[in-house]
Amino acid sequence: MKNNKAEGRSKGKKPGERSKFKGESKKPYPAKRQGVKKFADNRSKEDLAPKKARPGIKNYNPDEIRLNKYIAHAGICSRREADKLIGAGAVTVNGVIVTDLGIKVKRTDNVHVGEQRIRPERPVYVLLNKPKGFITTTEDPFDRKTVMSLVKDACKERLYPVGRLDRNTTGLLLFTNDGEMAEKLMHPSNSIHKIYHASLDKNLKQEDMDAIAKGIKLEDGQIKADDISYVNDGDDHRQVGLEIHSGRNRIVRRIFEHLGYQVVKLDRVIFAGLTKKDLPRSKWRFLSAKEIDYLKML
């Protein structure tokens, strides 16, 4: 009786039809899968080849890169700024001025921006815990100590600091040869947040703290903190934590000086979500892949 029922279930079903009976497979019949396999077997070697190796794709060359991307990877500037340089006729490829924004070049081409020959490099991201007494510049005519000496052995690629920390300010400073990333992190419209630990010469009054949170007017315009609080409990109100996204020169020091305070120490403890965890003073480290992805999503 069971065999008859089984036979009855198999009769009248079309290939690929799902069973209405509990316990039977709901996957397509083997006949349909065999059809897929037959189609795959009939494909040519060209069809199965990776896309970059296919000869029929017009104008495709895996060895070529857009010129603006080439310039950005060389650490000169962002792609948007590179487009401006190209449009202005400031870029030559193999001795010929190019103004076509969509042009592609090979990595072996001779590319100049102005008088400088550039070469694309792998993007590198280095985070330094800057000590006191170093200026944030690539070169100094007065032979003062620069932050470049602290990361000179990090890689063979030439690095550039993202933004500035003044000579007596310590803390996080990012270096990269990725011009596009650097511009994004420095541009005011992107509101990249930084957190500072400021040590003042005297206790910060509550009314002055409220004024900083509400906004004060400096010589170069209005400024306010995104967040501000005392670091320590109790009566010691000289230690202040300040979160701000402005990139104006010496902005934290100028905020307190405007209200009659002197900043004895200033330490940047967070920059664009990056922290000083496990990074001693004067030491550097490469960013992790996760941190790089995070910065790209900002």
Side-chain angles (χ1 to χ4, degrees):
M1 187 69 179
K2 292 181 180 179
N3 292 336
N4 291 336
K5 288 183 179 180
E7 291 176 2
R9 288 199 300 269
S10 64
K11 291 179 180 180
K13 286 199 297 183
K14 298 178 182 180
E17 182 180 354
R18 292 186 175 182
S19 172
K20 298 179 182 179
F21 291 88
K22 185 178 180 180
E24 288 197 1
S25 172
K26 295 184 180 180
K27 296 181 180 179
Y29 271 69
K32 190 171 184 179
R33 293 198 297 270
Q34 289 174 358
V36 174
K37 184 177 181 181
K38 184 177 180 180
F39 169 77
D41 290 342
N42 287 336
R43 287 183 292 174
S44 67
K45 291 183 179 179
E46 290 183 0
D47 292 329
L48 295 171
K51 183 177 179 181
K52 68 178 182 179
R54 295 183 189 178
I57 299 179
K58 188 177 180 180
N59 297 330
Y60 180 83
N61 189 336
D63 295 326
E64 292 182 341
I65 182 173
R66 285 180 66 94
L67 182 56
N68 62 354
K69 186 176 181 180
Y70 185 106
I71 295 171
H73 282 190
I76 301 298
C77 58
S78 68
R79 294 189 199 184
R80 182 179 299 178
E81 292 297 323
D83 284 337
K84 294 179 181 179
L85 291 173
I86 296 169
V91 181
T92 62
V93 178
N94 299 326
V96 179
I97 296 176
V98 293
T99 56
D100 182 2
L101 300 184
I103 192 173
K104 292 185 177 181
V105 296
K106 296 180 180 179
R107 296 183 181 276
T108 54
D109 284 332
N110 188 340
V111 180
H112 280 75
V113 176
E115 299 296 325
Q116 178 185 1
R117 181 176 181 179
I118 63 173
R119 295 178 176 84
E121 300 175 319
R122 67 182 180 99
V124 180
Y125 309 88
V126 171
L127 187 65
L128 170 72
N129 188 348
K130 176 188 172 297
K132 187 176 180 180
F134 288 78
I135 61 173
T136 306
T137 183
T138 53
E139 297 177 355
D140 182 59
F142 303 104
D143 201 27
R144 293 172 295 181
K145 294 184 295 185
T146 75
V147 291
M148 303 309 300
S149 65
L150 299 170
V151 296
K152 63 180 181 180
D153 297 324
C155 59
K156 64 179 181 180
E157 290 81 7
R158 186 174 183 184
L159 298 173
Y160 300 88
V162 178
R164 289 178 178 270
L165 289 178
D166 65 51
R167 188 174 187 177
N168 293 322
T169 299
T170 60
L172 294 179
L173 184 62
L174 181 65
F175 295 78
T176 185
N177 60 347
D178 185 340
E180 188 169 10
M181 173 71 77
E183 180 172 330
K184 181 172 72 171
L185 294 175
M186 289 188 294
H187 200 282
S189 64
N190 292 323
S191 300
I192 302 301
H193 286 260
K194 308 114 181 175
I195 297 181
Y196 294 84
H197 179 179
S199 300
L200 306 179
D201 61 337
K202 56 186 176 182
N203 286 338
L204 178 65
K205 297 177 182 179
Q206 183 64 52
E207 55 265 33
D208 289 335
M209 177 181 285
D210 295 338
I212 294 172
K214 185 177 180 180
I216 59 175
K217 189 173 182 180
L218 302 179
E219 62 273 13
D220 55 352
Q222 192 82 4
I223 186 70
K224 69 174 184 176
D226 300 305
D227 194 13
I228 185 171
S229 64
Y230 300 121
V231 173
N232 300 323
D233 296 327
D235 297 330
D236 183 8
H237 291 168
R238 292 174 299 172
Q239 309 299 319
V240 180
L242 179 74
E243 181 177 354
I244 198 166
H245 65 266
S246 173
R248 293 189 230 170
N249 187 38
R250 298 182 71 253
I251 187 61
V252 176
R253 294 182 184 275
R254 289 195 291 124
I255 287 174
F256 289 111
E257 289 170 359
H258 179 79
L259 296 172
Y261 301 87
Q262 291 297 319
V263 178
V264 179
K265 294 181 181 179
L266 186 61
D267 188 40
R268 185 155 73 183
V269 296
I270 292 180
F271 174 74
L274 304 173
T275 72
K276 298 194 302 177
K277 183 180 179 181
D278 301 326
L279 188 62
R281 191 80 74 206
S282 303
K283 300 299 182 181
W284 58 265
R285 67 171 177 85
F286 293 108
L287 295 192
S288 67
K290 185 176 180 180
E291 289 171 326
I292 295 171
D293 290 340
Y294 173 77
L295 293 182
K296 289 180 178 179
M297 291 188 296
L298 287 176

